[in-house]
């Protein structure tokens, strides 16, 4: 296990299990999906190098998220995406107020900042579709909110 401390988060990553998970994924999947996914696939390389380095330091293949969803238009040709990646390991410590519970019982997550265009948090609450993954209890999720330019030669909706 490799321990990483970053922006108040302390996580422990099973490097081999995480790398194996990404090596088994079909890398071209986003390119063959909807236009939002294809745009993320090509658009992430337009983000600052620190973004790609961050993902790679977590043993994540940037082009293979669990999902990439366009949320909103931020400016001309710039969109906010919600993106999820899976990591094998544990969340050992969270920043203060990383998770709060509102009066109605719903959890609220406070993001940490990677760059002006990228915010993130880690959570053990995996998307229900991942519960069929063998040993899913040993994984946690990285959720990113990032601003991506529209780079593909297709109209956006």
């Amino acid at each position: 296990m490799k321990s990483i401390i970053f922006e108040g988060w302390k996580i422990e990553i099973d490097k081999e299990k995480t790398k194996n998970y990404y090596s088994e994924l079909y890398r071209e999947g986003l390119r063959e999906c909807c236009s939002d996914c294809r745009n993320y696939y090509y658009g992430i390389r337009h983000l600052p190098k620190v973004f790609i380095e961050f993902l790679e330091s977590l043993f994540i293949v940037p082009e293979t998220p669990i999902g990439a969803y366009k949320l909103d238009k931020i400016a001309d040709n710039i969109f906010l995406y919600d993106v999820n990646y899976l990591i094998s390991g544990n969340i050992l410590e969270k920043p203060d107020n990383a998770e709060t519970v509102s009066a109605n019982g719903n959890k609220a997550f406070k993001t940490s900042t990677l760059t002006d265009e990228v915010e993130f948090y880690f959570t053990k609450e995996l998307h229900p579709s991942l519960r069929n993954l063998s040993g899913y209890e040993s994984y946690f999720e990285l959720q990113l909110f990032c601003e991506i330019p529209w780079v593909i030669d297709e109209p956006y909706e």
Side-chain angles (χ1 to χ4, degrees), residues 36 69-73 79-82 145:
D36 289 355
Y69 311 97
K70 183 177 71 177
L71 296 176
D72 201 7
K73 186 174 183 175
F79 294 88
L80 178 64
Y81 272 76
D82 177 359
F145 296 97

Side-chain angles (χ1 to χ4, degrees), residues 9 11 84-87 91 94 99 107 109 120-127 139-143:
W9 293 92
I11 59 174
N84 305 83
Y85 291 95
L86 201 59
I87 302 168
I91 300 170
K94 301 174 186 179
E99 292 181 11
K107 275 193 179 178
F109 299 96
F120 71 94
Y121 69 87
F122 298 102
T123 181
K124 281 297 275 185
E125 295 184 24
L126 302 183
H127 190 276
Y139 287 91
F140 63 97
E141 206 171 293
L142 165 64
Q143 184 161 19

Side-chain angles (χ1 to χ4, degrees), residues 28-150:
E28 307 302 313
L30 282 183
R31 290 186 352 171
E32 297 171 2
C33 196
C34 66
S35 62
D36 289 355
C37 292
R38 281 192 300 279
N39 187 69
Y40 180 77
Y41 180 89
Y42 293 107
I44 58 173
R45 296 298 173 169
H46 292 266
L47 287 173
K49 186 177 178 181
V50 68
F51 173 75
I52 300 299
E53 290 171 348
F54 173 66
L55 294 178
E56 290 173 347
S57 75
L58 302 173
F59 312 105
I60 291 173
V61 176
E63 294 85 4
T64 56
I66 299 166
Y69 311 97
K70 183 177 71 177
L71 296 176
D72 201 7
K73 186 174 183 175
I74 301 297
D76 283 345
N77 213 39
I78 304 291
F79 294 88
L80 178 64
Y81 272 76
D82 177 359
V83 185
N84 305 83
Y85 291 95
L86 201 59
I87 302 168
S88 178
N90 297 298
I91 300 170
L92 302 175
E93 292 179 27
K94 301 174 186 179
D96 293 338
N97 300 321
E99 292 181 11
T100 57
V101 179
S102 64
N104 65 4
N106 292 332
K107 275 193 179 178
F109 299 96
K110 181 177 181 255
T111 58
S112 299
T113 302
L114 179 63
T115 70
D116 287 343
E117 299 90 11
V118 181
E119 294 184 8
F120 71 94
Y121 69 87
F122 298 102
T123 181
K124 281 297 275 185
E125 295 184 24
L126 302 183
H127 190 276
S129 67
L130 295 172
R131 302 252 165 86
N132 61 358
L133 178 67
S134 176
Y136 77 90
E137 303 91 352
S138 67
Y139 287 91
F140 63 97
E141 206 171 293
L142 165 64
Q143 184 161 19
L144 294 165
F145 296 97
C146 50
E147 296 177 18
I148 303 283
W150 195 263

